[in-house]
C-alpha cells in the first residue's frame, strides 16, 4: 500500500511553514532557559562542545528519522507506528515508541508550563519598570520572593496552560502558522540586540571563554549524558513531537534540507542565549551554576541597566513566552492527535483533558521550588529535577535510539530511499551508517558510561 499523501489533521501549507513550525517546537525554554543553566552546572566549554557534537551526530539523523517515519505514516506517532509495523510485518512492540512519547510528553508539559508561567510573570515585572536599575541582589531577591509564593506560581501556570489549550484546540496548523511567522524572526532580532549589549559588558571575554574553553578534565560521563539529554530536549526529539509534525509535511519537501535548517536555527538561539547570559553572570559576580533561576536573574538585570530596558525587557519575555507556547503545542501533539484519531473526539475536548492532567502533574514542579524544595526524589534534589532527569536523560534518548533503529532496520530500504530522495548508492550507505550505527551507538555508549560511573 502506498503511503497517504495527506494527514487527516491537515498539512503545512509549504516547506517553510514546516521549518518554522518545527523550529517553533525546537526553539523554546530549552534554548533560552535550560541550555545556559545546564551548561553553567556542567562547567561550560567542554559541555558546549559535547552538546554541539550530539546535535550534529545524534540529533540531526534522529530528527530525519522522525520526520521520515511521520511522513510515511501520516498519523499520530502511535498510529503511525501501528500502521507501519503492520504494513511491513514487523514486531508490534515498536509501537511502544509512540506510547513512551506520549508519557514523556505529559511529564515534560507538566513542568514546561510552570516555567513558561514564570516568563509571563516577568513580562509584567519588566513592563512595570520594577527592575529599573536593579542590582544583582535585587534581581535575585525578586526571583526568590516569587518562588516563595506557590499560589502566584500556580496562577501563572494556569494562565499559560489555558493559552496552550486554547491554541491547541484550534488545530495545530491554523493555531501555529500565524504565530511562528512573526515571532521567530522577532526573537532572533531581539537575541541579537541582547548580544550587542552583552558584548559591551566587562564580563564578555570571560563569558565567551567560559562557553568555549575546552577543558578535558570537565568531560565526565555525567556531563556527556547531560549534553546528550539537552540535545534531545532542545531539538524536541525522542518523543514523537517531530514525528507528529512530520505527518503534516508535503511529500515533495526535502527532509535533509529542512532538518538541517531547523537544527542550525535551534543551535544559533541556544548559543546566543549562552553568550548573552554568561557575560552578565561574570560582570555581576553571579554564580554560573546556580540552576533554573539563571535566566530569570541575569536577563532582567541586564535590561534593568540598559536604556529602554523596560521596553526591551517586556518584549523579550513576550518572545520567550511565544517560544515556549509554540513548543508546548508540539509537546501535546502526539497525545492529542492520537486521541482525536482513536475516539474521533473533538480536539477542544481532548485538549482540555490533556491540559488538566498535566496541570495537576505540574503542581509537583511548583512545590519543588518552595514547600518541597528540600525533598529529594530518586537521587535528585527535587521532584522537578527528577522529572527533568527522567525525561531528558532516559526517556528521550531511549525513544530516539529506537526511532533510529526502526528507520534504519525495520523500514524497507525502498521506503526510506523514497522518503529521503536517495536511491541507494553512496548516500544510502552514509544514511544507514549514521542512523543505524553512529547515532544509536553513541546513545548506548553515553548511557553505559554514565551507568558505570
Ligand atoms: N524543544 C523544546 C525546547 O527546547 O524548549 C522543548 C520540547 C518540545 C521538548 C517538544 C520535547 C518536545 F517534544
Amino acid at each position: 500500500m502506498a503511503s497517504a499523501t495527506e494527514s487527516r489533521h491537515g498539512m503545512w501549507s509549504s516547506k517553510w511553514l514546516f521549518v518554522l513550525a518545527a523550529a517553533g517546537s525546537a526553539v523554546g525554554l530549552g534554548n533560552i532557559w535550560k541550555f545556559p543553566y545546564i551548561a553553567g552546572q556542567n562547567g561550560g566549554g567542554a559541555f558546549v562542545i559535547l552538546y554541539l557534537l550530539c546535535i550534529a551526530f545524534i540529533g540531526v539523523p534522529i530528527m530525519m528519522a522522525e520526520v521520515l517515519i511521520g511522513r510515511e505514516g501520516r498519523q499520530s506517532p502511535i498510529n503511525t507506528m501501528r500502521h507501519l509495523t503492520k504494513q511491513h510485518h514487523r514486531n508490534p512492540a515498536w509501537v511502544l515508541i509512540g506510547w513512551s512519547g506520549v508519557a514523556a510528553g505529559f511529564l515534560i508539559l507538566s513542568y514546561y508550563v510552570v516555567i513558561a508561567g514564570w516568563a509571563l510573570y516577568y513580562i509584567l515585572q519588566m513592563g512595570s519598570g520594577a527592575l529599573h536599575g536593579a542590582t544583582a541582589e535585587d534581581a535575585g531577591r525578586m526571583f526568590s520572593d516569587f518562588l516563595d509564593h506557590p499560589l502566584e506560581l500556580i496562577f501563572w501556570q494556569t494562565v499559560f496552560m489555558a493559552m496552550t489549550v486554547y491554541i491547541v484546540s484550534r488545530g495545530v496548523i491554523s493555531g501555529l502558522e500565524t504565530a511562528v511567522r512573526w515571532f521567530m524572526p522577532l526573537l532572533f532580532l531581539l537575541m541579537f540586540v541582547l548580544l550587542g549589549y552583552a558584548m559591551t559588558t566587562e564580563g564578555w571575554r570571560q563569558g565567551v571563554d567560559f562557553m568555549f574553553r575546552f577543558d578535558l578534565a570537565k568531560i565526565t560521563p555525567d556531563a556527556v549524558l547531560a549534553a546528550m539529554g539537552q540535545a534531545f530536549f532542545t531539538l524536541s526529539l525522542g518523543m514523537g513531537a517531530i514525528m507528529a509534525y512530520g505527518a503534516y509535511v508535503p511529500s515533495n519537501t526535502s527532509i535533509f534540507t529542512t532538518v538541517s535548517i531547523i537544527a542550525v536555527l535551534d543551535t544559533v538561539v541556544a548559543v546566543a542565549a549562552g553568550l548573552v547570559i554568561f557575560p552578565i553572570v561574570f560582570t555581576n559576580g553571579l554564580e554560573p551554576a546556580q540552576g533554573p533561576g539563571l535566566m530569570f536573574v541575569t536577563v532582567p538585570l541586564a535590561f534593568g541597566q540598559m536604556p529602554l530596558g523596560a521596553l526591551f525587557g517586556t518584549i523579550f519575555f513576550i518572545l520567550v513566552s511565544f517560544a515556549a507556547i509554540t513548543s508546548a503545542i508540539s509537546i501535546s501533539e502526539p497525545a492529542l492527535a492520537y486521541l482525536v484519531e482513536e475516539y474521533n473526539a473533538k480536539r477542544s475536548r481532548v485538549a482540555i483533558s490533556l491540559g488538566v492532567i498535566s496541570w495537576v502533574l505540574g503542581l509537583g514542579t511548583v512545590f519543588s521550588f518552595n514547600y518541597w524544595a528540600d525533598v529529594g526524589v530518586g537521587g535528585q534534589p527535587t521532584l522537578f529535577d527528577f522529572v527533568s532527569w527522567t525525561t531528558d536523560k532516559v526517556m528521550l534518548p531511549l525513544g530516539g535510539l529506537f526511532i533510529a533503529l526502526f528507520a534504519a532496520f525495520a523500514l524497507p530500504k525502498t521506503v526510506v530511499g523514497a522518503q529521503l530522495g536517495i536511491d541507494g548508492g553512496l548516500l544510502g550507505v552514509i544514511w544507514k551508517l549514521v542512523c543505524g550505527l553512529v547515532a544509536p551507538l553513541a546513545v548506548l555508549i553515553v548511557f553505559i558510561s554514565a551507568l558505570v560511573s
Side-chain angles (χ1 to χ4, degrees), residues 22-35 51 66 101 104-105 108-109 111-112 230-242 245 266 323-324 326-334 392 396:
S25 163
V27 175
L29 295 173
N31 307 61
I32 309 167
W33 161 73
K34 203 170 210 183
F35 170 74
Y51 164 82
E66 282 208 31
I108 294 177
L109 192 64
Y111 77 76
Y112 206 84
Q230 177 60 19
F232 274 97
F233 184 83
T234 194
L235 291 177
S236 310
L237 296 179
M239 55 154 280
I242 294 295
Y245 276 15
D266 186 75
T326 51
S327 302
I329 291 168
S330 74
I331 301 172
S332 52
E333 188 60 14
D392 296 10
L396 301 186

Side-chain angles (χ1 to χ4, degrees), residues 21 23-33 108-109 111-120 123 160-161 163-165 167-168 176 179-180 183-184 187 233 236 245 269 295-296 316-332:
S25 163
V27 175
L29 295 173
N31 307 61
I32 309 167
W33 161 73
I108 294 177
L109 192 64
Y111 77 76
Y112 206 84
V113 167
V114 175
I115 313 292
W118 300 358
L120 289 181
I123 297 177
F160 191 86
M161 185 60 95
M163 286 164 42
T164 306
V165 166
I167 301 186
V168 158
L176 257 184
V180 285
F183 111 84
M184 287 295 286
L187 181 70
F233 184 83
S236 310
Y245 276 15
V269 177
M295 174 187 100
F296 292 96
F316 176 80
F317 280 103
I318 292 178
L319 291 174
V320 171
S321 309
F322 255 112
I325 215 158
T326 51
S327 302
I329 291 168
S330 74
I331 301 172
S332 52

